[in-house]
Amino acid sequence: MSSQPRPPLHQKQNLQNNPFVLVLSRQSRVSPFPSPMKPLSKNIILAIIVVLVISAIFSSISLQGKKPQSISIATLAEEVEKGLVQSTKVEGSEVTIKLKDETDQKTRKDSSASLEEILTQYGLEADDIRAANIEIQDRSTRSYILGVILPSLLPLILLVGIFWFMLRQMQGANNRAMSFGMSGAKEIKDTKQKVTFKDVAGSKEAKVELEEVVEFLKNPKKFSDLGAKLPKGVLMMGRPGTGKTLMARAVAGEAGVPFFHMSGSEFVEMFVGVGASRVRDLFARAKKAAPCIIFVDEIDAVGRQRGTGLGGSHDEREQTLNQILVEMDGFETNIGVIVIAATNRPDVLDPALLRPGRFDRRVMLDLPDINERVEILELHAKGKPFATDVNLRRVAERTPGFSGADLMNILNEAAIRAARFDRKEITQEDTLDSIEKVLLGPERKSYVMNAEEKKVTAYHEAGHALVARMLPNADPVHKVSIIPRGSAGGYTLKLPSADVRLHKRSTFIDDMAVMLGGFVAEMDTFGDITTGPSDDLRKCTRLAREIVMRFGMSDALGPQVFGESQEMVFLGKEIHEQRNYSEKTAEAIDAEVRLLISRAMETARGIIQKEKKYLDAIANVLLEKETIEKEAFAAIFEA
Ligand code: ADP
Ligand code: ZN
Ligand code: MG
């Protein structure tokens, strides 16, 4: 129970909260390599077209001109004698004749004798023969190439061509393999849409801390002259969406220096050793560009504790991490390269990363408190047309535990909702509806409950709301609804009146009674129970166990914590729990948990029986109007 958003009551297995379902449905897997089949088949088509074109050219060459008329050598001799011949070409045994009247003729001769000799044998005079302009051409020239060599070479050329295409294909992938060692970090030198501290709302402490880094980047000499050693690394910690990436860019923007952005997972590729060489390359590039910022986002991808075997003890990861450490030790502090790393899992980081001289500066980005939420909302509301009734503070009040990214998302959802209703302005209703949508999933208008289900749900929610109203330490009710949303059949939205970071035992005890309020109301009103409260019961049981085991708040077992849990303090999530208590203690814990639950049940029952008229009143309003807002809810008790 840290400062997470209070889970709304009565949710039956909320898929919206299930990260796996969300991820699965979102991710459309894209292979990093282009599928080789598609371009290749394209190339084959191309090759076929080339072949067709070539053969077309060939046939047109051989068809060129009119076909010469075939004659005998005797006819040729006659023509020469008569002086009809303009010119004669001899190519091997082929003879082409052009007559003075432009007629083309051809004939063949014995290749062992020259045309002159043959014509002399026909009794022609040397003068006549000269007039025939005999020209002897080498057989091995153009026609030979075109006619003999090329056709036989063509398949070979084609094959080579296809191989070449294929090779080029492979090379596409290969080139990438060869450049694997390059860091591929995106260098952002943006001057146009520069991000500055103004674009980051709230996070005042973090800004103060980073202000110093900006100073240093702007004027490294000032510090080094005084012999001051400045931090090489700044580790930015915070839950997802609290603006770590944004803040790092703002630092670069404020200092006006280049910014090398690289994600931890980008270091790790298929081949061993690539990560390390990428780190080397990244630092080499950065040193050239100094002063500058190297930003390693999601550093936990490479910076996990070495040798734990957690997350698969990955040699590659260790080598990459080692290289980062080596590089960070290797450069002089005064050259002006600052490494900013971001993570939402500082607890899994290797201690070597955190020792002085490396990421010794730690900046924590907390979830925004109510005033910061207002600031963030105002920042993101710029450029969105809001109706005059919109009160962003009201939105901020309803969103404890939301991160900056969540808040941005809410305003975006609100804008989408307004557009869907063809409105020109975003109304307060749009913003409030999108909060519930983000928390619970979209309204399920098509889901029609039958009269009985509706009545049971109304009494169930009325039970939660009534108990919450009557108990002094429970959070105030903001909304009760029996409109199904996501996987919840109905819900009671109760929110802390202020952001709390410390939770009191009395609050927990009252919360348990509120959680059981739905169950008791159903039981007492209808004499039967449904599966509806199952999620409430699960949450209540878990809270009871945490009170006893994790917070040491039980009277019987005293201030002692049970179970060594490898706990992600930061995320409030446990990966695994080790039992470090005896069987007898286990029994005592079970008994204590049972006692807490039964006491909570009595509290809830007492209220519901005593204030039956209010229970009926709330349920009736719900059946009639389906939702009750904060003010209307308070009015029921004043009547
Ligand atoms: P992280 O890296 O911590 O997961 P990002 O920096 O990517 O989070 O934040 C996501 C988006 O949420 C940002 O682009 C920004 O629009 C919004 N955001 C988060 N925190 C803030 C903040 N403090 N002020 C303004 N916007 C914020
Ligand atoms: Zn419930
Ligand atoms: Mg980020």
Side-chain angles (χ1 to χ4, degrees):
M1 283 270 132
S2 49
S3 48
Q4 292 169 312
R6 285 303 174 86
L9 294 170
H10 189 226
Q11 272 169 270
K12 298 168 202 164
Q13 285 162 351
N14 187 358
L15 291 183
Q16 296 290 320
N17 284 346
N18 185 332
F20 293 103
V21 173
L22 213 78
V23 167
L24 273 179
S25 60
R26 258 213 207 135
Q27 224 159 35
S28 49
R29 273 191 71 87
V30 184
S31 158
F33 300 111
S35 128
M37 265 331 282
K38 234 161 106 197
L40 202 66
S41 58
K42 226 192 271 170
N43 285 340
I44 287 174
I45 292 171
L46 201 80
I48 291 173
I49 291 174
V50 168
V51 171
L52 285 178
V53 169
I54 288 176
S55 52
I57 290 171
F58 266 95
S59 51
S60 71
I61 284 175
S62 54
L63 283 174
Q64 234 168 29
K66 287 161 263 153
K67 270 230 155 125
Q69 164 192 7
S70 263
I71 53 166
S72 68
I73 286 283
T75 322
L76 174 63
E78 222 169 89
E79 284 168 357
V80 173
E81 197 173 15
K82 284 182 189 155
L84 297 172
V85 178
Q86 163 116 47
S87 66
T88 315
K89 252 188 226 164
V90 183
E91 253 178 29
S93 58
E94 260 169 49
V95 185
T96 352
I97 307 120
K98 199 169 185 103
L99 297 185
K100 286 191 174 143
D101 62 359
E102 299 281 300
T103 330
D104 286 319
Q105 294 179 329
K106 68 171 186 196
T107 183
R108 294 183 78 84
K109 70 169 184 66
D110 189 346
S111 55
S112 60
S114 77
L115 188 59
E116 278 101 334
E117 282 169 351
I118 297 169
L119 289 178
T120 318
Q121 276 166 15
Y122 275 93
L124 293 186
E125 298 292 324
D127 278 353
D128 291 335
I129 295 172
R130 212 173 296 126
N133 284 325
I134 294 173
E135 193 186 317
I136 298 174
Q137 263 187 358
D138 235 338
R139 179 75 182 86
S140 63
T141 47
R142 202 179 43 125
S143 67
Y144 184 69
I145 294 173
L146 278 177
V148 183
I149 301 178
L150 212 88
S152 58
L153 273 183
L154 203 67
L156 204 71
I157 292 171
L158 260 177
L159 264 176
V160 170
I162 288 172
F163 266 106
W164 182 68
F165 273 129
M166 278 172 71
L167 261 174
R168 255 187 20 160
Q169 276 301 315
M170 311 262 299
Q171 242 168 23
N174 255 343
N175 273 342
R176 226 167 294 139
M178 289 308 126
S179 64
F180 264 0
M182 306 304 193
S183 69
K186 292 171 276 299
E187 186 182 343
I188 302 167
K189 260 192 202 155
D190 48 1
T191 37
K192 256 186 238 146
Q193 31 165 307
K194 199 162 86 169
V195 181
T196 62
F197 282 153
K198 274 203 219 80
D199 300 300
V200 190
S203 331
K204 284 188 200 67
E205 294 88 349
K207 278 185 196 166
V208 169
E209 191 90 348
L210 291 166
E211 204 76 65
E212 221 175 88
V213 175
V214 171
E215 273 286 291
F216 172 60
L217 285 166
K218 271 189 184 157
N219 193 356
K221 205 164 166 295
K222 187 169 104 187
F223 291 87
S224 58
D225 282 353
L226 287 168
K229 268 214 171 84
L230 268 118
K232 291 175 180 177
V234 179
L235 183 65
M236 213 116 66
M237 308 180 292
R239 288 170 200 248
T242 42
K244 298 182 293 295
T245 310
L246 187 72
M247 190 65 111
R249 295 192 58 179
V251 171
E254 285 284 330
V257 298
F259 178 79
F260 293 88
H261 182 160
M262 184 111 187
S263 172
S265 58
E266 284 174 81
F267 287 120
V268 185
E269 288 272 2
M270 283 195 302
F271 303 127
V272 177
V274 168
S277 89
R278 282 193 175 177
V279 172
R280 267 193 300 276
D281 181 63
L282 177 61
F283 277 83
R285 274 172 66 194
K287 274 180 220 165
K288 268 187 223 136
C292 68
I293 289 178
I294 296 178
F295 179 54
V296 185
D297 212 349
E298 320 286 351
I299 196 171
D300 45 281
V302 289
R304 264 168 201 273
Q305 248 173 52
R306 287 167 291 184
T308 52
L310 247 179
S313 84
H314 201 302
D315 261 354
E316 171 63 356
R317 202 178 277 150
E318 290 194 6
Q319 282 187 20
T320 308
L321 176 57
N322 282 339
Q323 193 60 41
I324 292 179
L325 299 181
V326 167
E327 290 289 345
M328 286 192 75
D329 286 344
F331 68 72
E332 288 290 311
T333 33
N334 302 336
I335 62 168
V337 177
I338 287 199
V339 186
I340 299 182
T343 180
N344 44 26
R345 308 283 307 275
D347 49 317
V348 300
L349 287 185
D350 197 289
L353 270 176
L354 304 175
R355 68 137 240 233
R358 288 163 183 165
F359 292 103
D360 47 0
R361 285 291 163 108
R362 265 157 261 172
V363 176
M364 177 81 181
L365 289 175
D366 248 327
L367 286 174
D369 64 22
I370 181 154
N371 292 322
E372 288 173 326
R373 287 201 294 276
V374 174
E375 274 181 54
I376 294 173
L377 286 167
E378 277 167 358
L379 201 80
H380 287 285
K382 268 183 213 144
K384 289 194 176 73
F386 280 100
T388 41
D389 72 318
V390 173
N391 180 355
L392 290 176
R393 182 157 279 272
R394 186 84 194 267
V395 178
E397 274 167 14
R398 286 215 176 177
T399 47
F402 278 52
S403 70
D406 293 331
L407 294 171
M408 186 180 75
N409 186 24
I410 280 172
L411 289 188
N412 192 45
E413 286 285 345
I416 290 171
R417 190 175 187 268
R420 283 230 328 259
F421 288 112
D422 285 325
R423 272 188 261 108
K424 290 270 173 290
E425 284 178 326
I426 302 166
T427 63
Q428 184 79 9
E429 203 198 332
D430 291 327
T431 58
L432 296 184
D433 183 83
S434 32
I435 297 173
E436 276 154 51
K437 186 173 171 190
V438 168
L439 274 176
L440 292 151
E443 271 184 13
R444 282 187 301 158
K445 290 242 168 67
S446 59
Y447 176 79
V448 185
M449 280 193 270
N450 64 36
E452 199 197 331
E453 268 177 339
K454 211 167 166 176
K455 203 168 170 201
V456 174
T457 310
Y459 270 92
H460 178 111
E461 297 307 334
H464 285 311
L466 177 65
V467 177
R469 161 89 196 187
M470 292 302 165
L471 286 174
N473 296 309
D475 295 328
V477 173
H478 278 241
K479 185 172 179 175
V480 195
S481 173
I482 56 165
I483 298 173
R485 219 176 230 289
S487 54
Y491 55 97
T492 303
L493 197 63
K494 65 185 192 57
L495 299 161
S497 36
D499 291 286
V500 273
R501 302 204 186 269
L502 293 174
H503 300 268
K504 286 185 283 190
R505 187 173 98 140
S506 50
T507 313
F508 285 152
I509 299 289
D510 282 4
D511 271 350
M512 283 179 63
V514 176
M515 286 171 185
L516 293 175
F519 176 87
V520 174
E522 276 188 44
M523 185 73 188
D524 281 15
T525 315
F526 304 100
D528 196 0
I529 40 174
T530 63
T531 51
S534 59
D535 196 58
D536 294 337
L537 298 182
R538 194 172 55 83
K539 281 199 189 109
C540 184
T541 313
R542 197 170 63 196
L543 179 54
R545 289 202 89 82
E546 285 194 325
I547 290 172
V548 177
M549 295 175 70
R550 205 172 131 204
F551 305 127
M553 287 174 174
S554 108
D555 294 325
L557 290 151
Q560 195 185 339
V561 175
F562 301 95
E564 189 69 41
S565 55
Q566 276 219 348
E567 187 191 346
M568 320 266 104
V569 183
F570 196 66
L571 290 170
K573 263 189 199 148
E574 286 164 35
I575 13 177
H576 105 145
E577 197 181 80
Q578 210 175 2
R579 203 168 130 174
N580 61 354
Y581 42 87
S582 71
E583 199 59 45
K584 233 172 115 187
T585 314
E587 275 170 28
I589 290 171
D590 287 343
E592 190 66 9
V593 167
R594 211 174 306 126
L595 184 70
L596 280 173
I597 294 177
S598 65
R599 271 202 212 134
M601 186 84 104
E602 271 163 38
T603 312
R605 177 157 288 138
I607 291 170
I608 281 168
Q609 282 172 354
K610 193 169 146 231
E611 314 285 351
K612 178 87 171 114
K613 62 173 197 297
Y614 288 127
L615 184 77
D616 292 331
I618 301 167
N620 286 334
V621 179
L622 276 177
L623 283 170
E624 189 193 332
K625 302 221 171 94
E626 297 200 329
T627 41
I628 310 177
E629 288 285 344
K630 193 178 173 184
E631 295 78 17
F633 183 71
I636 293 175
F637 294 89
E638 276 146 25

